[in-house]
């Protein structure tokens, strides 16, 4: 039985189609990534699966339970780590876990044992008696992960688990997630717009404007790129593009740089230099999911802009946290 | 369901205990009414009530006021919980939404009764004659009244998104309701339109019942007072639940 299955899932907010006819299956124990830019519909999809939003059309199942008709069973099978803050700042770390455990009906002995285990796993044990208000962003995120796992759900949702964290903290959270996965063998559905994170998933669905545009393992997705990505920095991108067109190679110009895919990058470069147009720099790299995204959607996820928005959102978070 | 109510209630209790300042500040207003207004007026004007001082007359009303403000403002927590995301975490748990509302209402009722009791304990300092049965009856009444008030607060809080709006609305509605309830001055001498308003003010019956219990002096039969309070509590709790579920 699939851990998660979506059949023609659609969600409209007034005129906005946030999720459009999404169908996919996530196998038990799989680490599945939803990759997409801001507003792609990632959070909406998770919210429907978590019974927080009714779908407009289509069906969704979690651990075999219908998310509309069997809400209680779905909620019991699910651990959720929200994109935005959801802890009680005025309670201690341990109290936050205890309240969650009690809401899920975890018995008190099991609750103490499990809290201790998770607090240790996520290295929050020494801080268990501190008010969450005094925690750093990374610590809060770890506590939210612990809370999501407390009642031993079959499926864990992580909505942009590293959003708004600095690179070191992001790497740290990531290593904790690896640890959790190894230890608990749980099915994970994660959303992200960080390419490196998506690369670590077993399979990735790339979504854009609410629609799945590709779904496969990161390896196979990258292989669809057909070879290497060559980036050419030239003063005459038009001339370069004409040459490439003659060779039957499609190229894009982005920020004054020319991007193309060729089967064998190393062999291609000497050929490029023989054409006579000025070249300042050339780079070859293996394709990334970013390239795949660009090719499939015609636009970049635009890390730069995203970073800016993340910072803004993080500020909002801090602000709202008073 | 019982578990949900208990957990939601427990969280509020822990947070309340951790904020003694909140406990103290919500007692300031009733204390001012009691010792500044009550004693002040009482010493300047002769009491219009044959056998009661003014402070004694208004004492049940001040207890009612304490309950009113405490229970009402405790229901704001539902607004904070939504604003700061905590509510989402509760909503993905396998708990009935009715349990969430009832837990909130129960915590408002408890806080109201605690604060009311603290004021009640000051009774002897203003010459309130107490008997144990009367105190027990007052406690029960306080629980019931604060439950009604907390439910009303929740019903309003779930429809509102900003704390400021809540505050303004409360002052706009609550103060007139309070003054018309007969808590601070007798309503009988007022012009007819105000007397009619007082009769439709639900607080009138709560205050009247409190006066009946503590002073053995009331306008309406106790059965009428209690009937209104019971109906109100049940109706407002149902309304709060309905509105909360619809707001999800
Ligand atoms: N409550 C709402 N009412 C109206 N529109 C909404 C609502 N929530 C989301 N949307 C819209 O639905 C679309 C998808 O939003 P969603 O939050 O699912 O995106 P996302 O992929 O999670 O993006 P992000 O990376 O910014 O978190 C967006 O266009 C958003 O504006
Ligand atoms: Mg999102």
């Amino acid at each position: 039985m699939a851990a998660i299955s979506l059949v023609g899932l659609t969600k409209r907010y007034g005129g906005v189609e946030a999720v459009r006819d999404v169908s996919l299956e996530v196998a038990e124990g799989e680490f599945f990534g939803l990759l997409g830019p801001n507003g792609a519909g990632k959070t909406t999809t998770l919210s429907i699966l978590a019974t927080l939003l009714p779908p407009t059309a289509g069906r969704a199942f979690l651990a075999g339970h219908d998310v509309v008709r069997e809400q209680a069973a779905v909620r019991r099978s699910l651990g959720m780590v929200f994109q935005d803050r959801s802890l009680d700042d005025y309670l201690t770390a341990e109290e936050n876990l205890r309240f969650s455990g009690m809401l899920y009906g975890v018995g008190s002995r099991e609750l103490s044992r499990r809290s201790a285990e998770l607090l240790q796993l996520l290295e929050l044990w020494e801080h268990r008696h501190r008010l969450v208000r005094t925690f750093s962003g990374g610590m809060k995120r770890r506590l939210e992960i612990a809370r999501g796992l407390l009642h031993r759900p079959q499926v864990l949702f992580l909505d942009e688990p590293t959003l708004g964290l600095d690179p070191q903290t992001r790497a740290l959270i990531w290593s904790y997630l690896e640890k959790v996965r190894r230890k608990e063998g749980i099915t994970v559905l994660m959303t992200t717009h960080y390419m490196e994170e998506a690369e670590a998933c077993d399979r990735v669905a790339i979504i854009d404007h609410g629609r799945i545009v590709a779904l496969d393992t990161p390896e196979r997705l990258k292989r669809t790129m057909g070879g290497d990505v060559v980036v050419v920095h030239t003063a005459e991108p038009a001339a370069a593009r004409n040459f490439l067109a003659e060779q039957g190679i499609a190229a894009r110009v982005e920020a004054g740089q020319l991007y193309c895919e060729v089967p064998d990058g190393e062999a291609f470069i000497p050929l490029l230099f023989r054409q006579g147009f000025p070249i300042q720099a050339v780079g070859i790299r293996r394709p990334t999911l970013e390239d795949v995204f660009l090719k499939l959607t015609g636009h970049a996820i635009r890390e730069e802009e995203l970073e800016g928005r993340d910072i803004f959102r993080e500020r909002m978070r801090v602000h709202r946290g008073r | 369901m019982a578990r949900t109510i208990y957990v939601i209630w427990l969280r509020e209790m822990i947070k309340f205990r951790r904020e003694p300042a909140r406990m103290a500040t919500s007692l300031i207003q009733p204390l001012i009414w009691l010792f500044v207004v009550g004693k002040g007026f009482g010493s300047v004007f002769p009491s219009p009530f044959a056998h009661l001082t003014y402070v004694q007359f208004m004492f049940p009303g001040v207890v009612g006021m304490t309950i009113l403000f405490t229970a009402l403002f405790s229901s704001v927590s539902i607004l904070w919980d939504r604003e700061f995301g905590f509510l989402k975490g509760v909503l993905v748990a396998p708990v009935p939404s009715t349990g969430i509302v009832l837990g909130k209402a129960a915590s408002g009722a408890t806080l109201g009764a605690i604060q009311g009791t603290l004021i009640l304990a000051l009774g002897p300092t203003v010459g309130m004659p107490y008997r144990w049965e009367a105190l027990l009856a007052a406690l029960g009444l306080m629980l019931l009244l604060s439950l009604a008030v907390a439910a009303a607060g929740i019903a309003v809080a779930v429809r509102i998104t900003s704390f400021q709006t809540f505050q303004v609305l409360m002052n706009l509605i609550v103060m007139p309701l309070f003054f018309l309830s007969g808590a601070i001055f007798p309503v009988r001498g007022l012009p007819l339109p105000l007397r009619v308003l007082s009769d439709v003010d639900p607080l009138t019956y709560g205050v009247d019942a409190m006066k009946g219990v503590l002073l053995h002096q009331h306008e309406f039969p106790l059965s009428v007072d209690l009937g209104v309070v019971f109906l109100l509590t049940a109706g407002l709790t149902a309304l709060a639940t309905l509105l909360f579920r619809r707001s999800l």
Side-chain angles (χ1 to χ4, degrees):
Chain A
M1 183 188 60
I4 299 169
S5 113
L6 306 182
V7 188
L9 194 72
T10 298
K11 178 70 188 179
R12 261 187 295 272
Y13 293 112
V16 183
E17 265 205 310
V19 177
R20 311 181 194 206
D21 195 21
V22 166
S23 300
L24 62 82
E25 293 217 330
V26 178
E28 256 175 68
E30 201 174 4
F31 186 12
F32 194 95
L34 282 178
L35 174 68
N38 288 125
K42 306 183 292 293
T43 300
T44 305
T45 306
L46 292 194
S47 302
I48 295 171
L49 273 166
T51 73
L52 294 176
L53 274 179
T56 309
R59 302 187 71 183
F61 301 87
L62 195 129
H65 306 292
D66 187 315
V67 301
V68 177
R69 295 191 200 143
E70 301 164 85
Q71 294 201 340
V74 168
R75 292 179 189 179
R76 261 193 294 279
S77 320
L78 169 74
M80 179 98 172
V81 177
F82 291 95
Q83 179 172 346
D84 301 311
R85 33 170 302 133
S86 68
L87 295 167
D88 189 332
D89 279 357
Y90 289 85
L91 293 178
T92 66
E94 200 171 48
E95 285 167 341
N96 266 285
L97 292 187
R98 201 168 75 228
F99 277 108
S100 180
M102 287 169 85
L103 282 178
Y104 280 89
V106 180
S108 76
R109 190 168 309 154
E110 158 77 356
L111 183 52
S112 319
R113 213 179 43 221
R114 181 78 171 149
S115 295
E117 178 188 19
L118 288 168
L119 285 169
Q120 274 154 6
L121 182 71
L122 291 152
E123 287 173 29
L124 289 169
W125 179 251
E126 297 80 65
H127 309 293
R128 66 189 182 282
H129 295 311
R130 273 171 59 184
L131 291 185
V132 170
R133 187 156 57 108
T134 67
F135 276 20
S136 70
M139 290 166 78
K140 285 185 187 174
R141 198 46 63 91
R142 266 142 63 197
L143 183 58
E144 297 196 65
I145 293 171
R147 185 179 65 171
L149 292 165
L150 195 63
H151 58 286
R152 300 183 190 278
Q154 285 164 263
V155 182
L156 181 68
F157 285 0
L158 299 165
D159 198 358
E160 312 220 27
T162 61
L163 182 77
L165 302 176
D166 60 76
Q168 287 100 312
T169 315
R170 226 200 282 172
L172 194 68
I173 293 283
W174 200 250
S175 73
Y176 285 119
L177 284 177
E178 291 286 322
K179 228 161 58 169
V180 164
R181 248 176 49 80
R182 233 178 304 125
K183 190 143 178 307
E184 311 261 318
I186 190 174
T187 307
V188 178
L189 175 59
M190 180 188 74
T191 75
T192 184
H193 57 244
Y194 292 118
M195 297 296 164
E196 326 85 76
E197 294 184 355
E199 309 236 351
C201 296
D202 294 331
R203 284 193 306 150
V204 175
I206 298 184
I207 61 173
D208 189 35
H209 297 300
R211 222 188 278 284
I212 294 190
V213 292
L215 195 167
D216 215 327
T217 64
E219 262 328 297
R220 274 206 288 260
L221 284 173
K222 286 185 285 187
R223 230 178 288 149
T224 60
M225 294 297 294
D228 299 322
V229 176
V230 177
V231 186
V232 186
H233 198 88
T234 167
E236 293 175 29
R241 184 146 58 174
N242 284 341
F243 158 70
L244 289 171
E246 281 164 25
Q247 308 288 308
I249 299 168
R252 299 178 307 274
V253 181
E254 279 258 331
Q257 314 221 64
L258 195 79
Y259 289 81
C260 58
E261 298 154 30
V262 294
D264 183 350
E266 280 87 354
F268 175 73
I269 289 186
L271 192 66
L272 193 66
F273 273 91
R274 241 174 280 139
Q275 304 310 310
F277 49 79
I279 294 173
Q280 276 92 5
V282 177
I284 309 180
R285 52 180 172 75
R286 304 287 166 243
T288 61
L289 286 178
E290 172 86 57
D291 299 308
V292 178
F293 186 85
L294 195 63
K295 180 176 173 182
L296 289 172
T297 66
H299 61 93
I301 277 204
R302 282 213 234 324
E303 292 285 358
E304 224 108 284
E305 205 177 292
L306 282 179
E307 301 292 351
R309 249 186 91 168
D310 286 354
I311 292 166
F312 174 70
R313 268 207 243 171
E314 183 53 23
R315 283 218 188 105
M316 291 294 290
R317 224 185 257 186
V318 169
H319 171 72
R320 280 183 294 161
R322 288 181 296 180
Chain B
M1 175 78 106
R3 191 184 73 221
T4 311
I5 297 175
Y6 171 66
V7 177
I8 301 285
W9 174 85
L10 185 63
R11 169 169 170 258
E12 297 299 329
M13 292 306 117
I14 287 184
K15 295 179 81 162
F16 179 71
R17 209 186 49 200
R18 213 163 273 171
E19 291 177 80
R22 188 172 124 198
M23 188 157 19
T25 49
S26 64
L27 288 179
I28 289 176
Q29 215 171 1
L31 288 178
I32 289 179
W33 277 99
L34 211 52
F35 289 103
V36 180
V37 182
K39 288 240 166 174
F41 275 133
S43 64
V44 175
F45 305 107
S47 170
F49 325 99
H51 59 289
L52 289 178
T53 63
Y54 179 56
V55 189
Q56 286 171 336
F57 165 79
M58 76 186 293
F59 189 80
V62 172
V63 172
M65 164 192 233
T66 313
I67 290 172
L68 184 64
F69 283 108
T70 310
L72 211 48
F73 282 100
S74 83
S75 55
V76 186
S77 71
I78 214 162
L79 229 150
W80 290 128
D81 285 351
R82 192 170 48 195
E83 188 67 16
F84 294 118
F86 185 82
L87 191 58
K88 278 185 306 199
V90 177
L91 291 174
V92 288
V95 300
S97 51
T98 310
I100 301 174
V101 178
L102 293 184
K104 284 281 179 193
S107 67
T110 311
L111 296 183
I114 290 176
Q115 302 285 73
T117 305
L118 288 178
I119 294 295
L120 212 54
L122 293 173
T125 67
V126 295
M128 288 298 292
Y130 277 162
R131 279 179 306 120
W132 283 110
E133 312 87 83
L135 284 182
L136 274 183
L139 187 64
L141 186 60
M142 285 195 298
L143 275 170
L144 200 60
L145 281 176
S146 7
L147 188 60
V149 173
I154 293 169
V156 174
V158 295
R159 311 282 331 236
I160 275 178
T161 46
S162 95
F163 183 69
Q164 280 88 341
T165 320
F166 185 81
Q167 193 121 24
V168 169
L169 208 70
M170 285 302 127
N171 286 333
L172 224 60
I173 297 177
V174 172
M175 283 326 260
L177 284 184
F178 179 66
F179 285 121
L180 284 172
S181 71
I184 302 301
F185 46 81
V187 187
R188 216 176 304 140
L190 292 179
L192 184 66
L194 288 183
R195 268 194 341 250
V196 170
L197 282 179
S198 172
D199 281 353
V200 295
D201 177 357
L203 282 182
T204 302
Y205 301 90
V207 167
D208 197 52
M210 193 62 85
K211 287 192 166 164
V213 167
L214 293 179
L215 298 173
H216 304 290
Q217 192 184 65
H218 43 93
E219 301 275 312
F220 304 97
L222 267 183
S223 57
V224 171
D225 286 339
L226 288 180
V228 170
V229 170
F230 263 112
L231 279 180
L232 204 64
T233 309
L236 285 171
T237 308
L239 181 72
T241 308
L242 185 80
L243 291 179
F244 177 72
R245 296 177 65 133
R246 210 183 278 169
S247 76
L248 298 181

